[in-house]
Amino acid sequence: MHEKFDPTPKEYTDQVLGAYQKRMADYRAMQSGKTVATGTGERYVIADRLCLRRDASTNLKPMGELVAGAKVQVLDSSNSEWYRIANPVAGLQERQQGKTYQYYNGAGELIIESDKPLRNMPDVYVASRYLGTQAPELASSSLPENPQHPFVFGLQFYNDQIAKMLAVDVWQKMGSELQSRGYDGVKFVSTGSGTDKNAGTEQKITKHEVDGMQTSPACYSRIMNGKEDGVAFAMQTFKNDGEAHDYSGYIIVNKDSNIKSLSDLKGKNIFTGKDGSMSSYTLQMRALEKLGLKKEDLHLYSGLYHYQLFTAVAEQTPMDFSDPKNIHAADNGVKADAAFVGDFVLQSSLFEDFATNKKFGLRVYQNAAELNTARNSVYILPIAMERIPEQPLLLSKKLYDDTAFRNEFRQVLMDFYDAQSEKYGIAEATPDVYKNMPPQE
């Protein structure tokens, strides 16, 4: 086990936060040069999904989602980032599917989805950059009709238009390769949201329900660590918004901590998320076990949210863990010597939103200055951990072992999302860390 950290926790923390701040500054500079459709009147949604907001911010949970091509009426565009629009439900037919409310136009096309009825909602706000003056064009059909043995790929975040466009694009570019492998068409289907709590979605491949699919980070990690049958490879398709599009974990300590080496963690009070949390428990324990530290060597206190973990270390807030269902701050509680947190807690806009988040914090930071003071009181221990893509892909073992097919399919998907990112605002642009990966042998 390494006795001293190299670089030091302070040096490592400065590197991490410096890189994040530069990435966000570069993104904001890029965004400042973009133009949006200004003025009032009719506009069209040019993202695959566009959230309906109660106010001009992301602070509150979305009220629902508009689908690509939906027409809205802009009432106020004085805020260049957030446009106020009229209630888009007017004239639509409401249907309820389980706990989901869906709104259709006269042609039977889905326009809005929500987890609550929206008929009487007031005017709402949407992000202006995802509105255009013209409706996006639907994919032209050039697919074989009624295929008997199509190549089937599952999408977690499904949208009819994107599925059609992907199918056409893949068939046009890889049709001969697919036919040589026994496929007579291609279909992109929905495989759900991918929460994967029951560790079962990858079995769709084993059961031959699909040939490949987008899957969850937890599934990816299980496969890469030999815990599940299957194969996976990383190809990101999330928005190119300056944020990281994979994630990992950190072990954080207070800057005044006397933890100067990994061996100093032995016997210390370490706060964590729930035992099953990838980024606030599992990744850290894997990293420590590889270096010789076991669960029995640590005093682990589990069950906190990421932001509670951060505050407990930054503010040295004592916590009472006697009731797992009611963990709370208490003067006679336990203080954290260290905590396991997801890396996004310290280097994402989610961290900055925490300043006004009253739900999860042990205290409410009134402004960014207070929050940054807390952030500056925390160091990250420089321990190597896995990085897991937010939206990895799975392929059947047969196709995964077909190196030429796997690499060409991966490239077609990356090219598709890159080409459509400006027009649709969907799953924008593959981050360079994955795009520049050499073809997998």
Side-chain angles (χ1 to χ4, degrees):
M1 183 184 301
H2 298 292
E3 283 303 310
K4 296 294 180 183
F5 293 115
D6 184 21
T8 68
K10 181 182 185 308
E11 291 169 341
Y12 184 68
T13 304
D14 289 344
Q15 291 174 14
V16 168
L17 297 184
Y20 167 66
Q21 290 161 1
K22 182 181 185 303
R23 188 169 67 246
M24 290 305 296
D26 290 344
Y27 170 71
R28 291 178 181 126
M30 177 189 70
Q31 287 295 100
S32 66
K34 290 186 176 181
T35 59
V36 297
T38 59
T40 58
E42 290 183 353
R43 297 289 183 272
Y44 296 89
V45 175
I46 56 174
D48 67 331
R49 293 292 174 114
L50 179 58
C51 291
L52 297 168
R53 303 284 183 180
R54 292 181 178 86
D55 61 7
S57 75
T58 59
N59 291 334
L60 301 175
K61 182 181 177 181
M63 302 170 70
E65 293 180 332
L66 290 158
V67 303
K71 183 169 66 175
V72 300
Q73 187 73 24
V74 175
L75 302 176
D76 183 359
S77 62
S78 58
N79 182 332
S80 62
E81 294 185 7
W82 297 97
Y83 285 0
R84 182 168 62 88
I85 66 172
N87 184 340
V89 170
L92 301 181
Q93 179 186 0
E94 180 182 287
R95 303 176 192 173
Q96 187 173 356
Q97 299 287 336
K99 296 182 179 180
T100 301
Y101 291 83
Q102 298 176 326
Y103 295 85
Y104 292 82
N105 63 16
E109 298 169 329
L110 177 64
I111 302 299
I112 302 173
E113 281 192 322
S114 176
D115 59 3
K116 61 187 64 177
L118 301 177
R119 186 67 63 189
N120 299 316
M121 73 178 181
D123 299 340
V124 292
Y125 293 83
V126 294
S128 61
R129 65 184 179 275
Y130 297 133
L131 293 180
T133 55
Q134 294 181 334
E137 298 176 2
L138 290 174
S140 59
S141 177
S142 59
L143 293 170
E145 294 184 6
N146 303 316
Q148 299 302 304
H149 184 50
F151 170 77
V152 181
F153 192 86
L155 301 175
Q156 283 188 15
F157 305 100
Y158 183 81
N159 172 271
D160 283 338
Q161 180 176 329
I162 301 307
K164 291 175 184 176
M165 293 177 64
L166 274 168
V168 169
D169 198 57
V170 170
W171 186 252
Q172 287 177 342
K173 294 178 179 179
M174 296 187 65
S176 59
E177 288 90 340
L178 288 166
Q179 288 176 311
S180 70
R181 290 163 175 82
Y183 298 105
D184 61 356
V186 59
K187 289 175 61 178
F188 281 79
V189 300
S190 172
T191 49
S193 62
T195 52
D196 200 22
K197 291 181 179 179
N198 297 317
T201 58
E202 62 269 32
Q203 298 307 314
K204 291 179 181 293
I205 292 179
T206 304
K207 296 176 181 178
H208 306 291
E209 295 176 18
V210 296
D211 298 289
M213 62 188 294
Q214 295 169 338
T215 190
S216 70
C219 171
Y220 177 84
S221 181
R222 288 195 302 272
I223 288 172
M224 300 307 281
N225 283 276
K227 304 297 184 182
E228 297 281 352
D229 292 330
V231 288
F233 65 104
M235 196 290 291
Q236 283 300 82
T237 57
F238 267 46
K239 293 178 181 176
N240 186 16
D241 56 4
E243 304 286 7
H245 296 280
D246 53 8
Y247 72 86
S248 188
Y250 287 147
I251 300 176
I252 59 172
V253 298
N254 190 277
K255 69 176 183 180
D256 296 324
S257 169
N258 61 359
I259 296 176
K260 308 300 181 185
S261 68
L262 286 177
S263 59
D264 291 337
L265 290 171
K266 284 188 175 181
K268 293 294 193 298
N269 297 327
I270 299 178
F271 291 5
T272 80
K274 295 181 180 180
D275 287 359
S277 169
M278 286 300 300
S279 58
S280 62
Y281 182 83
T282 303
L283 294 178
Q284 289 86 347
M285 285 309 308
R286 282 181 185 164
L288 290 176
E289 287 170 356
K290 288 178 180 178
L291 296 172
L293 278 174
K294 299 180 180 180
K295 182 188 296 188
E296 296 74 24
D297 297 325
L298 313 170
H299 293 161
L300 298 175
Y301 295 85
S302 302
L304 295 179
Y305 291 105
H306 292 278
Y307 300 119
Q308 292 173 328
L309 294 165
F310 164 79
T311 306
V313 172
E315 308 288 349
Q316 286 294 280
T317 306
M319 301 293 295
D320 184 345
F321 290 85
S322 58
D323 181 359
K325 296 183 179 179
N326 184 32
I327 302 171
H328 59 279
D331 291 340
N332 61 346
V334 179
K335 286 188 177 182
D337 296 306
F340 297 169
V341 299
D343 62 349
F344 53 85
V345 173
L346 289 174
Q347 54 167 349
S348 76
S349 58
L350 290 175
F351 178 84
E352 295 166 6
D353 291 343
F354 178 44
T356 57
N357 191 324
K358 298 180 181 180
K359 182 176 181 181
F360 298 122
L362 301 179
R363 61 162 287 187
V364 177
Y365 296 96
Q366 299 301 318
N367 51 54
E370 282 190 8
L371 186 61
N372 285 331
T373 297
R375 174 157 55 183
N376 291 334
S377 68
V378 167
Y379 288 156
I380 306 165
L381 300 187
I383 301 173
M385 291 187 201
E386 294 175 67
R387 295 208 64 82
I388 299 176
E390 287 282 2
Q391 196 175 351
L393 305 183
L394 295 182
L395 283 176
S396 68
K397 190 173 190 309
K398 178 181 178 181
L399 290 178
Y400 184 86
D401 289 342
D402 187 337
T403 304
F405 178 90
R406 183 182 73 221
N407 288 328
E408 184 172 0
F409 180 65
R410 173 174 170 266
Q411 191 62 51
V412 168
L413 290 184
M414 288 195 298
D415 290 345
F416 173 86
Y417 281 112
D418 280 345
Q420 302 301 330
S421 61
E422 277 291 324
K423 185 173 182 181
Y424 291 96
I426 62 166
E428 290 187 15
T430 308
D432 288 343
V433 67
Y434 292 116
K435 186 173 182 178
N436 293 335
M437 284 179 9
Q440 302 178 46
E441 300 299 337

